[in-house]
């Protein structure tokens, strides 16, 4: 039976890095439809607004026709039901990511056993990369060339100027 598999790649994406993009490309090859979805989190003080993050994500994922960009709030498992998605995609860079990711995956499974979390590893070159470090390096005047797409680099520079 032919199946159409929709996966959700959830996150803060504040901002999107080449590590995220690497995972999106890998995910787009495996799943029929990949929804990159930004969490609307009122508790966090992001550098970029949700609208800015969605704009950046939309710009840098244009090349993949089966990738779309969205936002969500509330529980991820409820959002997955609304989107008829059966897979959550998450990236694991190092062992240090594993504990947090395992907790989330198992909690999500406890709430919805039909939802499967799939972990993928980004290219080795991006294993040290995180949005938090990109923000920090940029805010302190460092160079983030090669870590984020040029459009994102430009917006980062505009933020800290
Ligand atoms: O990029 P991040 O900040 O590591 O992403 C975390 C995210 C968005 C995947 C996680 O915080 C999440 O799914 N939040 C939605 C609320 C929810 O479902 N919480 C229970 C998770 S077990």
């Amino acid at each position: 039976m032919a199946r159409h598999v929709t996966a959700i790649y959830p996150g803060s994406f504040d901002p999107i890095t080449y590590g995220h993009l690497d995972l999106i490309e890998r995910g787009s090859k495996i799943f029929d439809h990949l929804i990159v979805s930004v969490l609307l989190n009122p508790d966090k003080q992001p550098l970029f607004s949700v609208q800015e993050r969605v704009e950046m994500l939309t710009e840098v994922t244009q090349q993949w026709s089966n990738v779309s960009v969205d936002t969500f709030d509330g529980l991820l498992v409820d959002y997955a039901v609304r989107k008829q998605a059966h897979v959550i995609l998450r990236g694991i860079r190092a062992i240090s990511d594993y504990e947090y990711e395992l907790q989330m995956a198992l909690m999500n499974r406890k709430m919805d056993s039909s939802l499967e979390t799939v972990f993928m590893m980004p290219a080795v070159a991006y294993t040290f990369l995180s949005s938090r470090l990109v923000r920090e390096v940029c805010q302190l005047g460092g160079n983030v060339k090669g870590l984020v797409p040029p459009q994102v680099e430009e917006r980062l520079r505009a933020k800290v100027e």
Side-chain angles (χ1 to χ4, degrees), residues 8-11 39 72-81 85-91 98-119:
I8 295 171
Y9 180 28
L39 173 68
F72 76 105
D73 57 6
L75 283 177
L76 180 57
V77 290
D78 293 338
Y79 172 68
V81 170
H86 293 102
V87 175
I88 300 298
L89 174 65
R90 290 287 288 174
Y98 180 75
E99 202 172 328
Y100 170 60
E101 294 298 335
L102 180 74
Q103 279 181 353
M104 280 204 301
L106 294 180
M107 181 61 86
N108 284 331
R109 180 185 284 169
K110 174 98 183 83
M111 291 187 282
D112 184 346
S113 60
S114 70
L115 195 58
E116 210 55 69
T117 300
V118 171
F119 294 114

Side-chain angles (χ1 to χ4, degrees):
M1 188 180 79
R3 285 194 61 180
H4 181 97
V5 181
T6 297
I8 295 171
Y9 180 28
S12 305
F13 304 106
D14 186 31
I16 177 154
T17 68
Y18 274 136
H20 296 128
L21 211 54
D22 179 279
L23 220 73
I24 292 170
E25 179 169 20
R26 289 172 200 279
S28 75
K29 289 182 185 152
I30 291 186
F31 304 111
D32 299 300
H33 181 199
L34 181 66
I35 306 172
V36 182
S37 200
V38 181
L39 173 68
L40 300 165
N41 187 348
D43 299 337
K44 270 198 181 175
Q45 283 291 323
L47 180 63
F48 290 100
S49 69
V50 169
Q51 192 191 328
E52 289 173 310
R53 283 178 273 158
V54 166
E55 278 169 15
M56 287 186 277
L57 279 165
T58 306
E59 282 170 22
V60 301
T61 58
Q62 280 179 22
Q63 56 197 298
W64 299 293
S65 59
N66 64 336
V67 174
S68 55
V69 178
D70 194 19
T71 59
F72 76 105
D73 57 6
L75 283 177
L76 180 57
V77 290
D78 293 338
Y79 172 68
V81 170
R82 291 200 296 279
K83 291 286 157 184
Q84 296 184 303
H86 293 102
V87 175
I88 300 298
L89 174 65
R90 290 287 288 174
I92 290 212
R93 291 161 298 190
I95 293 291
S96 50
D97 284 335
Y98 180 75
E99 202 172 328
Y100 170 60
E101 294 298 335
L102 180 74
Q103 279 181 353
M104 280 204 301
L106 294 180
M107 181 61 86
N108 284 331
R109 180 185 284 169
K110 174 98 183 83
M111 291 187 282
D112 184 346
S113 60
S114 70
L115 195 58
E116 210 55 69
T117 300
V118 171
F119 294 114
M120 292 180 86
M121 292 160 292
V124 172
Y126 303 129
T127 47
F128 66 95
L129 191 51
S130 73
S131 297
R132 186 180 64 78
L133 283 182
V134 163
R135 290 196 303 271
E136 189 172 313
V137 167
C138 201
Q139 277 166 335
L140 297 174
N143 192 346
V144 292
K145 202 171 165 50
L147 306 182
V148 296
Q151 305 95 310
V152 178
E153 202 185 322
E154 221 167 89
R155 287 195 194 227
L156 271 165
R157 230 178 288 125
K159 278 272 177 206
V160 299
E161 261 168 22

